[in-house]
Amino acid sequence: MAEENAPHHTGADRTPNEVIQEYIKYEKIKYYPVELTGEIKVPKLTPNSMIMVKPQLLTGKEALERLGYPVGGLRPDWKEVFLAKMGEILKKYRSVKLFLDICVRCGACTDKCHYYLGTGDPINMPVARQELMRRVYRRYFTVPGRLFGSKFVNGEDLSEELLAIWYTYFYQCSECRRCSVFCPYGIDTAEITMAAREILNSVGIVQKYMHEIIDKAQNIGNNLGMQQNAIVNALEFVQDELIETTGIEDIRIPIDEEGADVLFVTPSADFFASPHIESLYGYAKVFHQAGISWTMSTHASEGGNFGMFVHNYQHMKKINKRIWEAARALKVKRVIGGECGHMWRVLSSFSNTMFGPFDYLDPKYPRPQHICELTLDLLKRGALKIDKSANEEFTVTIHDSCQVARGMEMGGTEFGQFEIPRGVIKGVCEKFVDMPENTIKERTFCCGAGQGLLGDDMLATRVKGAMPRMQAYHYVKRENGVNFLALICAICKAQMSKMLPTYGFDMEEVGGVHQLVGRAIILGAKEGI
Amino acid sequence: MGGIKFIVDMGLSSLVYAAIFIFAAGVFYKVYFEYYKTPQPLKIPQTPQPTDSFGVLLRMAGDVLFFRSLAKGTRLLFAAGWVFHFTFLLLLIRHLRYFIYPVPGVIAALGNASVFIGIVMLLAMVVLVVRRFLEERVQYVTLVADYFVLFLIIAIVCTGIMLRYEPFRPDVTSVKAFTMELLNPLTPLKLITMEPAHAPSCLLFAVHLGLVCLLLIYFPFSKLMHSVGYFFSPTRNMVNNPRSVRYINPWDKG
Ligand code: SF4
Ligand code: SF4
Ligand code: SF4
């Protein structure tokens, strides 16, 4: 009978959680890479083309409790909690408040997002993504909205359906900030996405991949959840490999050595993932050859900080804290960070606010310092003996990681984050070519998996989001014979080593900048600085 | 006749004062309590961001005066947007002649070109409207409110241009007398005693002024706040020196 099929009959006796769980049920989605032409075309709108992508939910009770998020899915009283959380964020983050207020919907950002370019889904246009939150903002947080309701202000009342849309599209933004470069007011969708994710968390919709890692990083100490002895084993294994391949007896990966000059932190993926580990060899060789005493730490065994991906300040702070605790405990003079995009943003831009001033570190050096800053300085001073012919087979290009390119400064200058990694590459390779101008430097495209989207459940999004970068790489490969894509980010490395084969390239063509450095360094025979 | 004139005078004067009050109070409230007082926890400047305050100032000037961020993207939007804002500014400056006595030479000189400026501004706005209408992506994100502002300003400009010509042209001295009267701090008080300022007897003038008042009232509640909001945008106004100068989070001074 018609009446039985009416939606209010089926919906009335279900809890909000049951309703939302049906909306956001995870399904595996097939993905197809596009044919590469070397050109990035702006697609036509194809509404709802990515609406079926729902990342997996975190359901582990203990993890949710430790994170301070509701257990058991969507809270029955979620609407109040939602508005309270949103109100709190609007009071604590000028960025969010202002950006919700001043967008004029000029459309300058609409074709700037790699997810829009890859999918054509209109909600992946940055301004449309922001509008998801702005609709709620106008309805509940502006005077006309409160007085006259949704219709009048183009707002939207809270509903489970809206939540599902939020969960879908705020997890199709890698917070890469490319849109913000072109916005006349610098509106940064990343800030909105971070806020939206925290609001979703507060009502009990917690994405699995990234929050599992936030939990592990806080409570175990690294993203992979490795216990201390596992870390020591892994690093000892790396050291053995190094000694074996280089034939140098005293090359080391020191662990927890008090009194070393340098505490070195890097994403834990560098300990054994490929191609990450090649960069770890590179770092060790640089330290060894420069004669710098350094150490890694089992307490701060993770450089990455997924806490940055969501406006939950406390999580980010707690993860970051381990590094500064280790720095004090080991009595080091400098802290140096390895190759990782968002890690560098947290270290360079946020650490000082959260845990500075770093007056116990050596004021002669930037605090903290990026490994590329160190290596370039050593190269310039001639402190490393380099044989560029070791990289002869490569014509190299660099993917400017979005979090480094737009995350912030390196080398104390406005464009250091572009010049320094390029300087290092040119210092160890003969042939370097940049990708087209609109895909690098401040306009760089994200790899497509950053800021919490690297999970396997997100593969469809990842493949589409990687399209602009793949086109640009294809272009320089065709035009200039480029055959090595250098990276300075652990997530980029993981993503690219999966995307290159997906798009028909050889997986071996991707690697870290310090992988190239490591190959070219001539160990031993020091001629003094 | 006297009765209608009194009602028009009363209505226009009250509207002008109400609009100015709502505009000023609204903008002040937004800027002070919502933008200025809301803390920004972390440094989030956006490349290419200079590493000293002077550089940041220059960058912001480039954004405000030449729309530099916008220029990186769509050329058409940049050109139409810039022409629109620039001619808008010129016409605002020109209107000072109704408030300043004697009229400075620059403003008087602008006067001769004002119809031309108005037409250029209209053309730019037509481009902006058509773009919203025809460009698939922009059309998708455009709201009624966006058209509303555009058409409101178009109406203001059109009535303004018409006011320059017979038979609509009001007596300039009476316009000036009206504005001077409105500027007199005693005039609002006289509203209570029912002695409003004397508006020029010109219907179109009343419409023009009424629309301007509507714009002023609408201003603080709308996206028009981008004009002031820009200066508080943390991706643009923060100095790119997080490592060398510690930035304090106002709610986590730790
Ligand atoms: S570029 Fe900025 S102002 Fe324009 S639509 Fe995008 S976010 Fe809004
Ligand atoms: S921050 Fe990056 S991923 Fe997010 S909307 Fe902007 S361009 Fe797209
Ligand atoms: S992985 Fe690299 S490119 Fe991708 S989001 Fe992170 S820093 Fe950006």
Side-chain angles (χ1 to χ4, degrees), chain B:
Chain B
M1 182 65 201
I4 295 177
K5 177 156 172 41
F6 173 75
I7 295 171
V8 171
D9 283 357
M10 219 29 210
L12 262 191
S13 307
S14 331
L15 182 64
V16 168
Y17 287 123
I20 291 175
F21 176 77
I22 293 174
F23 172 76
V27 170
F28 174 80
Y29 180 86
K30 284 236 114 169
V31 167
Y32 186 75
F33 291 104
E34 295 195 350
Y35 302 164
Y36 176 72
K37 280 287 185 185
T38 308
Q40 173 56 33
L42 293 165
K43 273 220 166 175
I44 58 163
Q46 167 87 67
T47 315
Q49 189 73 333
T51 47
D52 57 22
S53 328
F54 184 66
V56 170
L57 221 70
L58 283 186
R59 178 187 193 189
M60 294 184 76
D63 263 356
V64 172
L65 299 177
F66 305 110
F67 294 14
R68 282 193 49 195
S69 297
L70 193 56
K72 290 174 191 168
T74 10
R75 289 276 147 192
L76 178 73
L77 172 62
F78 161 70
W82 190 82
V83 169
F84 161 62
H85 283 81
F86 183 67
T87 46
F88 198 153
L89 179 71
L90 286 182
L91 290 181
L92 277 182
I93 293 175
R94 177 182 135 83
H95 277 70
L96 285 178
R97 78 166 176 148
Y98 300 111
F99 301 92
I100 303 175
Y101 193 79
V103 182
V106 206
I107 297 177
L110 260 183
N112 303 325
S114 61
V115 172
F116 174 72
I117 298 172
I119 289 172
V120 173
M121 182 169 164
L122 275 181
L123 288 178
M125 295 220 295
V126 168
V127 174
L128 292 177
V129 172
V130 169
R131 187 181 153 270
R132 282 203 184 272
F133 209 76
L134 292 186
E135 241 241 64
E136 191 189 37
R137 280 173 283 121
V138 192
Q139 186 198 41
Y140 180 90
V141 297
T142 296
L143 305 179
V144 180
D146 302 322
Y147 285 123
F148 172 72
V149 187
L150 278 168
F151 284 117
L152 182 57
I153 300 176
I154 286 178
I156 292 173
V157 180
C158 285
T159 49
I161 292 176
M162 281 158 75
L163 281 172
R164 303 269 301 170
Y165 295 102
E166 296 301 344
F168 310 106
R169 197 182 178 101
D171 174 18
V172 178
T173 38
S174 70
V175 174
K176 186 128 188 177
F178 179 54
T179 55
M180 285 325 230
E181 218 178 330
L182 285 175
L183 283 179
N184 185 337
L186 287 179
T187 317
L189 297 176
K190 285 199 199 148
L191 271 185
I192 306 166
T193 57
M194 301 284 171
E195 293 170 86
H198 300 282
S201 42
C202 168
L203 178 66
L204 197 67
F205 174 80
V207 174
H208 183 66
L209 186 60
L211 290 174
V212 171
C213 289
L214 186 59
L215 186 69
L216 286 178
I217 294 170
Y218 182 65
F219 195 99
F221 304 101
S222 68
K223 66 172 192 177
L224 296 173
M225 285 305 291
H226 71 266
S227 48
V228 214
Y230 170 80
F231 297 95
F232 295 86
S233 178
T235 56
R236 294 293 187 266
N237 74 4
M238 298 183 105
V239 185
N240 178 16
N241 57 0
R243 283 190 292 173
S244 44
V245 179
R246 183 177 182 217
Y247 176 75
I248 307 279
N249 176 356
W251 44 265
D252 182 45
K253 298 193 174 152

Side-chain angles (χ1 to χ4, degrees), chain A residues 71-85:
Chain A
V71 177
L74 188 62
R75 300 172 55 136
D77 60 345
W78 70 270
K79 289 183 184 170
E80 288 102 79
V81 179
F82 183 106
L83 293 175
K85 184 47 111 187

Side-chain angles (χ1 to χ4, degrees), chain A residues 112-115 126 129 173-179 189-190:
Chain A
K112 303 300 184 284
C113 177
H114 51 290
Y115 292 118
R129 200 187 309 285
C173 167
S174 62
E175 303 173 353
C176 75
R177 312 178 84 208
R178 185 171 197 264
C179 43
T189 316

Side-chain angles (χ1 to χ4, degrees), chain A residues 103-109 127 130 183-185 187:
Chain A
C103 169
V104 299
R105 290 172 292 279
C106 68
C109 59
V127 47
Q130 300 157 21
C183 172
Y185 322 116
I187 292 174

